[in-house]
Amino acid sequence: MLILLLSAIWLSTPALAQSSSQEYRAYEDALAQGSRHANLWQVGWTSVYAGSLAVNAWQASEASDADDRFDARVGVVKSALALGGMLLDRQPHPAAYREWRDGEDDIQRARRLLEAVAEEERARRSLQARLGSLAVNTIAGLTIAVGDGRERDGAINFATGMLVSELQLQSQPRQATSAINRFQPARVSFGDVHLEGEYAWLVGPSQLGVALRY
């Protein structure tokens, strides 16, 4: 009974062969969306850090409480470093999309470009990508905790800084990774005949299918 049920489910799932042109358009859409996302991400976080820098710079000299002035001076350094990072380290999607539009309509070239951008997306979410913010927030927290004798405030500063850094990291575009990961390797054998390719599940509001690429 279970075998018949599984067979029925499998037979009711349409096998859709995805042409190179469809795949090419899917990759183009991923890069276009990634480019828009990257530009919004860049403007948004640059504005956040620029605003934070301005507020901290004002509080560093104008705040009535000495502790607030000390924390603001630490905040100036953190915000300046974060703002510099935003201005110097750009997302790869806009440049990749420009390269896409200026190049030839070649599916192999498209795959290589998407894979390169996807690799950059993964690197930007790796443990190594978190080391810089970990170092900055650790030094800032210790400066307040040890340098100014306020352990609790130092811990809060560290935790808040790491939370903001993680939000920045997780909000980065990941369209290229999603496009690449749609397809998984597949191998089918019929006696002495072996076929290798890739498949991806297609799920819609009223349909379930599988796209084959070989």
Side-chain angles (χ1 to χ4, degrees), residues 41 45 49 82 85-86 91 163-172:
W41 181 89
W45 283 103
Y49 290 129
M86 290 299 303
Q91 293 285 338
L163 176 60
V164 172
S165 176
E166 189 66 20
L167 288 174
Q168 177 190 347
L169 185 147
Q170 292 297 334
S171 62
Q172 295 179 107

Side-chain angles (χ1 to χ4, degrees), residues 59-60 62-73 148 150 153:
Q59 287 188 331
E62 301 299 328
S64 58
D65 185 76
D67 290 345
D68 290 340
R69 291 195 298 272
F70 188 92
D71 292 351
R73 288 193 288 271
D148 204 40
R150 292 180 289 126
D153 289 345

